Amino acid sequence: QVQLVESGGGSVQTGGSLKLSCARSGNTCSHSCMGWFRQAPGKEREGIAVLDGDGNQNYQDSVKGRFIISADNNRNTLYLQMNSLKSEDTAMYYCAARCNLWAPCLMVNSVFRYWGQGAQVIVSS
């Protein structure tokens, strides 16, 4: 089993920045696909950024150029740096992981096996 715990959420003004962290514990997770998803009120959970086992990043168009996904060397911690925040970025943010994934690391809910409990991000003007 793998456990994921997010931190770093909060309230910020439009145009501001926040950095989310996701601490991973439990079993060793090699060649992992790790990602960030978000769910706004009344909407479905959507993938916004993924980091595959080879270190490649992929972003949803709405966050491309503003958000950066990264991880420490051992992938014990996953990060999401969020810049130039907009009101439409307000959502619950979840980190997710899938171990030993050699297929494409897609921003799709069904790819991921492990999920954190979520961190709330509120962006207001």
Side-chain angles (χ1 to χ4, degrees):
Q1 289 293 325
V2 171
Q3 292 79 43
L4 302 172
V5 179
E6 300 96 337
S7 61
S11 296
V12 64
Q13 289 190 325
T14 303
S17 298
L18 276 177
K19 187 172 184 177
L20 301 180
S21 299
C22 173
R24 183 189 65 79
S25 62
N27 291 344
T28 301
C29 189
S30 60
H31 207 267
S32 59
C33 168
M34 302 189 76
W36 288 96
F37 288 69
R38 68 184 180 188
Q39 187 169 20
K43 295 187 177 181
E44 294 187 352
R45 187 166 59 188
E46 60 177 359
I48 57 172
V50 293
L51 181 69
D52 73 11
D54 297 318
N56 300 305
Q57 305 163 19
N58 196 21
Y59 298 92
Q60 189 198 82
D61 286 346
S62 66
V63 306
K64 198 172 295 184
R66 300 188 297 123
F67 292 10
I68 301 172
I69 187 172
S70 64
D72 64 8
N73 288 340
N74 296 322
R75 296 203 172 190
N76 289 326
T77 306
L78 182 72
Y79 303 100
L80 185 69
Q81 177 67 47
M82 303 184 292
N83 302 318
S84 301
L85 283 161
K86 306 174 181 180
S87 57
E88 51 263 44
D89 294 319
T90 294
M92 186 71 79
Y93 284 71
Y94 300 90
C95 69
R98 170 76 178 267
C99 303
N100 300 311
L101 182 68
W102 298 94
C105 180
L106 303 176
M107 287 182 286
V108 175
N109 286 277
S110 59
V111 166
F112 295 86
R113 178 175 181 182
Y114 303 106
W115 294 85
Q117 82 289 348
Q120 181 70 53
V121 173
I122 299 172
V123 184
S124 59
S125 57

